mmCIF file of all heavy atoms in Angstrom:
data_model
loop_
_atom_site.group_PDB
_atom_site.id
_atom_site.type_symbol
_atom_site.label_atom_id
_atom_site.label_comp_id
_atom_site.label_asym_id
_atom_site.label_seq_id
_atom_site.Cartn_x
_atom_site.Cartn_y
_atom_site.Cartn_z
ATOM 1 N N GLU I 242 -3.272 -16.208 4.018
ATOM 2 C CA GLU I 242 -4.542 -16.025 4.737
ATOM 3 C C GLU I 242 -4.443 -14.900 5.756
ATOM 4 O O GLU I 242 -5.370 -14.111 5.928
ATOM 5 C CB GLU I 242 -5.005 -17.344 5.389
ATOM 6 C CG GLU I 242 -5.701 -18.261 4.407
ATOM 7 C CD GLU I 242 -6.622 -17.513 3.423
ATOM 8 O OE1 GLU I 242 -7.545 -16.809 3.889
ATOM 9 O OE2 GLU I 242 -6.412 -17.606 2.198
ATOM 10 N N ILE I 243 -3.304 -14.813 6.448
ATOM 11 C CA ILE I 243 -3.107 -13.713 7.403
ATOM 12 C C ILE I 243 -3.149 -12.383 6.645
ATOM 13 O O ILE I 243 -3.801 -11.420 7.063
ATOM 14 C CB ILE I 243 -1.769 -13.884 8.163
ATOM 15 C CG1 ILE I 243 -1.858 -15.096 9.103
ATOM 16 C CG2 ILE I 243 -1.415 -12.620 8.943
ATOM 17 C CD1 ILE I 243 -0.522 -15.504 9.725
ATOM 18 N N SER I 244 -2.466 -12.331 5.513
ATOM 19 C CA SER I 244 -2.419 -11.088 4.737
ATOM 20 C C SER I 244 -3.818 -10.685 4.269
ATOM 21 O O SER I 244 -4.209 -9.520 4.357
ATOM 22 C CB SER I 244 -1.494 -11.246 3.528
ATOM 23 O OG SER I 244 -0.212 -11.646 3.955
ATOM 24 N N ARG I 245 -4.551 -11.666 3.780
ATOM 25 C CA ARG I 245 -5.908 -11.368 3.308
ATOM 26 C C ARG I 245 -6.757 -10.790 4.453
ATOM 27 O O ARG I 245 -7.485 -9.812 4.292
ATOM 28 C CB ARG I 245 -6.566 -12.653 2.780
ATOM 29 C CG ARG I 245 -7.922 -12.433 2.127
ATOM 30 C CD ARG I 245 -8.686 -13.735 2.035
ATOM 31 N NE ARG I 245 -7.984 -14.765 1.283
ATOM 32 C CZ ARG I 245 -8.044 -14.899 -0.045
ATOM 33 N NH1 ARG I 245 -8.800 -14.085 -0.748
ATOM 34 N NH2 ARG I 245 -7.388 -15.859 -0.651
ATOM 35 N N THR I 246 -6.623 -11.403 5.632
ATOM 36 C CA THR I 246 -7.388 -10.921 6.787
ATOM 37 C C THR I 246 -7.017 -9.474 7.118
ATOM 38 O O THR I 246 -7.888 -8.646 7.396
ATOM 39 C CB THR I 246 -7.106 -11.823 8.020
ATOM 40 O OG1 THR I 246 -7.388 -13.156 7.640
ATOM 41 C CG2 THR I 246 -7.934 -11.432 9.213
ATOM 42 N N VAL I 247 -5.716 -9.167 7.071
ATOM 43 C CA VAL I 247 -5.272 -7.799 7.375
ATOM 44 C C VAL I 247 -5.942 -6.814 6.417
ATOM 45 O O VAL I 247 -6.505 -5.794 6.832
ATOM 46 C CB VAL I 247 -3.729 -7.689 7.266
ATOM 47 C CG1 VAL I 247 -3.290 -6.236 7.279
ATOM 48 C CG2 VAL I 247 -3.049 -8.468 8.385
ATOM 49 N N LEU I 248 -5.898 -7.103 5.129
ATOM 50 C CA LEU I 248 -6.454 -6.155 4.154
ATOM 51 C C LEU I 248 -7.956 -5.992 4.308
ATOM 52 O O LEU I 248 -8.479 -4.892 4.186
ATOM 53 C CB LEU I 248 -6.102 -6.591 2.718
ATOM 54 C CG LEU I 248 -4.788 -5.965 2.276
ATOM 55 C CD1 LEU I 248 -3.616 -6.786 2.727
ATOM 56 C CD2 LEU I 248 -4.745 -5.707 0.794
ATOM 57 N N GLU I 249 -8.625 -7.125 4.604
ATOM 58 C CA GLU I 249 -10.078 -7.033 4.738
ATOM 59 C C GLU I 249 -10.456 -6.258 5.987
ATOM 60 O O GLU I 249 -11.309 -5.390 5.965
ATOM 61 C CB GLU I 249 -10.699 -8.427 4.717
ATOM 62 C CG GLU I 249 -10.744 -8.913 3.276
ATOM 63 C CD GLU I 249 -11.186 -10.348 3.104
ATOM 64 O OE1 GLU I 249 -11.571 -10.981 4.122
ATOM 65 O OE2 GLU I 249 -11.138 -10.835 1.951
ATOM 66 N N LYS I 250 -9.781 -6.584 7.105
ATOM 67 C CA LYS I 250 -10.137 -5.902 8.372
ATOM 68 C C LYS I 250 -9.812 -4.414 8.306
ATOM 69 O O LYS I 250 -10.483 -3.599 8.931
ATOM 70 C CB LYS I 250 -9.386 -6.540 9.540
ATOM 71 C CG LYS I 250 -9.770 -7.977 9.762
ATOM 72 C CD LYS I 250 -10.454 -8.177 11.083
ATOM 73 C CE LYS I 250 -10.852 -9.632 11.177
ATOM 74 N NZ LYS I 250 -11.909 -9.943 12.063
ATOM 75 N N LEU I 251 -8.726 -4.064 7.591
ATOM 76 C CA LEU I 251 -8.372 -2.642 7.489
ATOM 77 C C LEU I 251 -9.123 -1.965 6.342
ATOM 78 O O LEU I 251 -9.034 -0.761 6.182
ATOM 79 C CB LEU I 251 -6.861 -2.481 7.259
ATOM 80 C CG LEU I 251 -5.929 -2.665 8.447
ATOM 81 C CD1 LEU I 251 -4.471 -2.566 8.004
ATOM 82 C CD2 LEU I 251 -6.200 -1.609 9.519
ATOM 83 N N ASP I 252 -9.843 -2.778 5.548
ATOM 84 C CA ASP I 252 -10.570 -2.265 4.382
ATOM 85 C C ASP I 252 -9.642 -1.445 3.480
ATOM 86 O O ASP I 252 -9.959 -0.313 3.078
ATOM 87 C CB ASP I 252 -11.771 -1.420 4.841
ATOM 88 C CG ASP I 252 -12.745 -1.171 3.691
ATOM 89 O OD1 ASP I 252 -12.662 -1.899 2.687
ATOM 90 O OD2 ASP I 252 -13.553 -0.236 3.798
ATOM 91 N N VAL I 253 -8.495 -2.041 3.169
ATOM 92 C CA VAL I 253 -7.480 -1.351 2.373
ATOM 93 C C VAL I 253 -7.913 -1.278 0.908
ATOM 94 O O VAL I 253 -8.360 -2.274 0.344
ATOM 95 C CB VAL I 253 -6.130 -2.116 2.447
ATOM 96 C CG1 VAL I 253 -5.128 -1.552 1.457
ATOM 97 C CG2 VAL I 253 -5.580 -2.071 3.862
ATOM 98 N N VAL I 254 -7.780 -0.098 0.319
ATOM 99 C CA VAL I 254 -7.852 0.028 -1.143
ATOM 100 C C VAL I 254 -6.472 0.518 -1.567
ATOM 101 O O VAL I 254 -6.122 1.668 -1.346
ATOM 102 C CB VAL I 254 -8.943 1.023 -1.581
ATOM 103 C CG1 VAL I 254 -8.928 1.191 -3.096
ATOM 104 C CG2 VAL I 254 -10.303 0.546 -1.104
ATOM 105 N N GLY I 255 -5.674 -0.383 -2.125
ATOM 106 C CA GLY I 255 -4.306 -0.035 -2.483
ATOM 107 C C GLY I 255 -3.409 -1.245 -2.294
ATOM 108 O O GLY I 255 -3.871 -2.387 -2.369
ATOM 109 N N VAL I 256 -2.150 -0.969 -2.041
ATOM 110 C CA VAL I 256 -1.152 -2.031 -1.867
ATOM 111 C C VAL I 256 -0.720 -2.035 -0.412
ATOM 112 O O VAL I 256 -0.600 -0.977 0.213
ATOM 113 C CB VAL I 256 0.054 -1.763 -2.809
ATOM 114 C CG1 VAL I 256 1.241 -2.641 -2.462
ATOM 115 C CG2 VAL I 256 -0.364 -1.998 -4.261
ATOM 116 N N LEU I 257 -0.521 -3.207 0.134
ATOM 117 C CA LEU I 257 -0.047 -3.315 1.516
ATOM 118 C C LEU I 257 0.888 -4.507 1.619
ATOM 119 O O LEU I 257 0.635 -5.562 1.028
ATOM 120 C CB LEU I 257 -1.225 -3.471 2.480
ATOM 121 C CG LEU I 257 -0.876 -3.525 3.974
ATOM 122 C CD1 LEU I 257 -1.909 -2.756 4.810
ATOM 123 C CD2 LEU I 257 -0.777 -4.956 4.493
ATOM 124 N N CYS I 258 1.978 -4.321 2.364
ATOM 125 C CA CYS I 258 2.925 -5.423 2.567
ATOM 126 C C CYS I 258 2.855 -5.888 4.012
ATOM 127 O O CYS I 258 2.847 -5.074 4.948
ATOM 128 C CB CYS I 258 4.338 -4.930 2.245
ATOM 129 S SG CYS I 258 5.595 -6.162 2.624
ATOM 130 N N VAL I 259 2.800 -7.201 4.189
ATOM 131 C CA VAL I 259 2.845 -7.786 5.530
ATOM 132 C C VAL I 259 4.208 -8.457 5.693
ATOM 133 O O VAL I 259 4.579 -9.311 4.883
ATOM 134 C CB VAL I 259 1.731 -8.828 5.730
ATOM 135 C CG1 VAL I 259 1.720 -9.334 7.169
ATOM 136 C CG2 VAL I 259 0.376 -8.249 5.363
ATOM 137 N N GLU I 260 4.946 -8.043 6.716
ATOM 138 C CA GLU I 260 6.259 -8.645 6.991
ATOM 139 C C GLU I 260 6.113 -9.646 8.133
ATOM 140 O O GLU I 260 5.464 -9.350 9.137
ATOM 141 C CB GLU I 260 7.259 -7.566 7.395
ATOM 142 C CG GLU I 260 7.654 -6.651 6.264
ATOM 143 C CD GLU I 260 8.694 -5.641 6.713
ATOM 144 O OE1 GLU I 260 9.864 -6.030 6.868
ATOM 145 O OE2 GLU I 260 8.317 -4.480 6.940
ATOM 146 N N PHE I 261 6.766 -10.804 7.963
ATOM 147 C CA PHE I 261 6.626 -11.891 8.930
ATOM 148 C C PHE I 261 7.985 -12.358 9.450
ATOM 149 O O PHE I 261 8.996 -12.292 8.729
ATOM 150 C CB PHE I 261 6.019 -13.133 8.265
ATOM 151 C CG PHE I 261 4.621 -12.983 7.773
ATOM 152 C CD1 PHE I 261 4.372 -12.638 6.446
ATOM 153 C CD2 PHE I 261 3.539 -13.214 8.617
ATOM 154 C CE1 PHE I 261 3.080 -12.526 5.962
ATOM 155 C CE2 PHE I 261 2.243 -13.112 8.146
ATOM 156 C CZ PHE I 261 2.007 -12.768 6.816
ATOM 157 N N PHE I 262 7.965 -12.923 10.648
ATOM 158 C CA PHE I 262 9.047 -13.791 11.108
ATOM 159 C C PHE I 262 8.519 -15.217 10.992
ATOM 160 O O PHE I 262 7.391 -15.490 11.435
ATOM 161 C CB PHE I 262 9.388 -13.541 12.583
ATOM 162 C CG PHE I 262 9.913 -12.150 12.877
ATOM 163 C CD1 PHE I 262 9.476 -11.449 13.994
ATOM 164 C CD2 PHE I 262 10.859 -11.558 12.055
ATOM 165 C CE1 PHE I 262 9.966 -10.177 14.281
ATOM 166 C CE2 PHE I 262 11.362 -10.287 12.329
ATOM 167 C CZ PHE I 262 10.911 -9.603 13.448
ATOM 168 N N LEU I 263 9.310 -16.110 10.400
ATOM 169 C CA LEU I 263 8.953 -17.537 10.423
ATOM 170 C C LEU I 263 9.755 -18.164 11.548
ATOM 171 O O LEU I 263 10.997 -18.161 11.539
ATOM 172 C CB LEU I 263 9.299 -18.210 9.094
ATOM 173 C CG LEU I 263 9.037 -19.717 9.044
ATOM 174 C CD1 LEU I 263 7.547 -20.042 9.199
ATOM 175 C CD2 LEU I 263 9.575 -20.322 7.747
ATOM 176 N N LYS I 264 9.036 -18.666 12.550
ATOM 177 C CA LYS I 264 9.731 -19.260 13.702
ATOM 178 C C LYS I 264 10.262 -20.644 13.332
ATOM 179 O O LYS I 264 9.827 -21.263 12.375
ATOM 180 C CB LYS I 264 8.767 -19.351 14.891
ATOM 181 C CG LYS I 264 8.378 -17.963 15.407
ATOM 182 C CD LYS I 264 7.983 -17.976 16.863
ATOM 183 C CE LYS I 264 6.691 -18.727 17.094
ATOM 184 N NZ LYS I 264 6.292 -18.741 18.509
ATOM 185 N N LYS I 265 11.174 -21.114 14.166
ATOM 186 C CA LYS I 265 11.806 -22.409 13.866
ATOM 187 C C LYS I 265 10.793 -23.554 13.907
ATOM 188 O O LYS I 265 10.991 -24.591 13.296
ATOM 189 C CB LYS I 265 12.963 -22.642 14.840
ATOM 190 C CG LYS I 265 14.082 -21.601 14.649
ATOM 191 C CD LYS I 265 15.418 -22.135 15.114
ATOM 192 C CE LYS I 265 16.626 -21.476 14.583
ATOM 193 N NZ LYS I 265 16.862 -20.166 14.391
ATOM 194 N N ASN I 266 9.660 -23.350 14.640
ATOM 195 C CA ASN I 266 8.638 -24.403 14.698
ATOM 196 C C ASN I 266 7.649 -24.316 13.526
ATOM 197 O O ASN I 266 6.626 -24.999 13.514
ATOM 198 C CB ASN I 266 7.878 -24.334 16.022
ATOM 199 C CG ASN I 266 7.051 -23.060 16.149
ATOM 200 O OD1 ASN I 266 6.964 -22.268 15.214
ATOM 201 N ND2 ASN I 266 6.438 -22.869 17.300
ATOM 202 N N GLY I 267 7.947 -23.434 12.553
ATOM 203 C CA GLY I 267 7.105 -23.369 11.348
ATOM 204 C C GLY I 267 5.908 -22.446 11.465
ATOM 205 O O GLY I 267 5.100 -22.373 10.534
ATOM 206 N N THR I 268 5.766 -21.739 12.593
ATOM 207 C CA THR I 268 4.631 -20.816 12.693
ATOM 208 C C THR I 268 5.084 -19.391 12.384
ATOM 209 O O THR I 268 6.260 -19.054 12.492
ATOM 210 C CB THR I 268 3.962 -20.863 14.089
ATOM 211 O OG1 THR I 268 4.945 -20.495 15.064
ATOM 212 C CG2 THR I 268 3.411 -22.231 14.396
ATOM 213 N N LEU I 269 4.109 -18.575 12.014
ATOM 214 C CA LEU I 269 4.397 -17.203 11.583
ATOM 215 C C LEU I 269 4.016 -16.183 12.650
ATOM 216 O O LEU I 269 3.038 -16.371 13.379
ATOM 217 C CB LEU I 269 3.583 -16.895 10.317
ATOM 218 C CG LEU I 269 3.992 -17.626 9.051
ATOM 219 C CD1 LEU I 269 2.880 -17.538 8.004
ATOM 220 C CD2 LEU I 269 5.288 -17.042 8.495
ATOM 221 N N LEU I 270 4.775 -15.097 12.693
ATOM 222 C CA LEU I 270 4.398 -13.933 13.502
ATOM 223 C C LEU I 270 4.414 -12.737 12.564
ATOM 224 O O LEU I 270 5.329 -12.603 11.750
ATOM 225 C CB LEU I 270 5.434 -13.679 14.612
ATOM 226 C CG LEU I 270 5.558 -14.725 15.709
ATOM 227 C CD1 LEU I 270 6.734 -14.371 16.630
ATOM 228 C CD2 LEU I 270 4.259 -14.803 16.518
ATOM 229 N N VAL I 271 3.424 -11.857 12.686
ATOM 230 C CA VAL I 271 3.475 -10.634 11.885
ATOM 231 C C VAL I 271 4.433 -9.673 12.576
ATOM 232 O O VAL I 271 4.296 -9.402 13.769
ATOM 233 C CB VAL I 271 2.079 -9.978 11.767
ATOM 234 C CG1 VAL I 271 2.176 -8.669 10.985
ATOM 235 C CG2 VAL I 271 1.103 -10.923 11.103
ATOM 236 N N ASN I 272 5.418 -9.183 11.835
ATOM 237 C CA ASN I 272 6.330 -8.180 12.400
ATOM 238 C C ASN I 272 5.793 -6.781 12.159
ATOM 239 O O ASN I 272 5.682 -5.986 13.077
ATOM 240 C CB ASN I 272 7.739 -8.335 11.807
ATOM 241 C CG ASN I 272 8.661 -7.201 12.225
ATOM 242 O OD1 ASN I 272 8.570 -6.697 13.346
ATOM 243 N ND2 ASN I 272 9.534 -6.771 11.335
ATOM 244 N N GLU I 273 5.438 -6.493 10.921
ATOM 245 C CA GLU I 273 5.091 -5.119 10.566
ATOM 246 C C GLU I 273 4.185 -5.064 9.360
ATOM 247 O O GLU I 273 4.232 -5.960 8.515
ATOM 248 C CB GLU I 273 6.394 -4.386 10.190
ATOM 249 C CG GLU I 273 6.578 -3.122 10.943
ATOM 250 C CD GLU I 273 7.848 -2.380 10.551
ATOM 251 O OE1 GLU I 273 8.615 -2.817 9.678
ATOM 252 O OE2 GLU I 273 8.027 -1.336 11.119
ATOM 253 N N LEU I 274 3.418 -3.975 9.249
ATOM 254 C CA LEU I 274 2.604 -3.729 8.056
ATOM 255 C C LEU I 274 3.088 -2.445 7.392
ATOM 256 O O LEU I 274 3.449 -1.494 8.090
ATOM 257 C CB LEU I 274 1.128 -3.518 8.434
ATOM 258 C CG LEU I 274 0.454 -4.581 9.299
ATOM 259 C CD1 LEU I 274 -0.992 -4.163 9.593
ATOM 260 C CD2 LEU I 274 0.494 -5.938 8.613
ATOM 261 N N ALA I 275 3.095 -2.414 6.076
ATOM 262 C CA ALA I 275 3.404 -1.178 5.349
ATOM 263 C C ALA I 275 2.282 -0.969 4.332
ATOM 264 O O ALA I 275 2.102 -1.790 3.436
ATOM 265 C CB ALA I 275 4.747 -1.289 4.640
ATOM 266 N N PRO I 276 1.498 0.106 4.472
ATOM 267 C CA PRO I 276 0.290 0.271 3.627
ATOM 268 C C PRO I 276 0.594 0.912 2.288
ATOM 269 O O PRO I 276 -0.010 1.916 1.909
ATOM 270 C CB PRO I 276 -0.575 1.199 4.487
ATOM 271 C CG PRO I 276 0.425 2.061 5.199
ATOM 272 C CD PRO I 276 1.650 1.200 5.433
ATOM 273 N N ARG I 277 1.541 0.359 1.569
ATOM 274 C CA ARG I 277 2.058 0.960 0.317
ATOM 275 C C ARG I 277 2.962 -0.070 -0.343
ATOM 276 O O ARG I 277 3.256 -1.096 0.266
ATOM 277 C CB ARG I 277 2.862 2.213 0.665
ATOM 278 C CG ARG I 277 3.862 1.906 1.790
ATOM 279 C CD ARG I 277 4.973 2.844 1.967
ATOM 280 N NE ARG I 277 5.736 2.579 3.169
ATOM 281 C CZ ARG I 277 6.661 1.648 3.314
ATOM 282 N NH1 ARG I 277 6.928 0.822 2.313
ATOM 283 N NH2 ARG I 277 7.314 1.490 4.447
ATOM 284 N N PRO I 278 3.429 0.215 -1.583
ATOM 285 C CA PRO I 278 4.437 -0.684 -2.144
ATOM 286 C C PRO I 278 5.616 -0.784 -1.186
ATOM 287 O O PRO I 278 5.863 0.126 -0.386
ATOM 288 C CB PRO I 278 4.845 0.021 -3.438
ATOM 289 C CG PRO I 278 3.643 0.795 -3.834
ATOM 290 C CD PRO I 278 3.051 1.281 -2.525
#
Side-chain angles (χ1 to χ4, degrees):
E242 279 321 302
I243 291 170
S244 304
R245 186 198 302 274
T246 305
V247 168
L248 269 85
E249 282 173 5
K250 296 245 177 203
L251 283 176
D252 195 17
V253 171
V254 176
V256 167
L257 183 141
C258 174
V259 185
E260 290 183 75
F261 295 95
F262 297 137
L263 177 64
K264 293 206 292 180
K265 296 205 159 41
N266 66 5
T268 60
L269 291 164
L270 294 174
V271 177
N272 172 35
E273 233 181 1
L274 307 178
R277 49 162 171 80

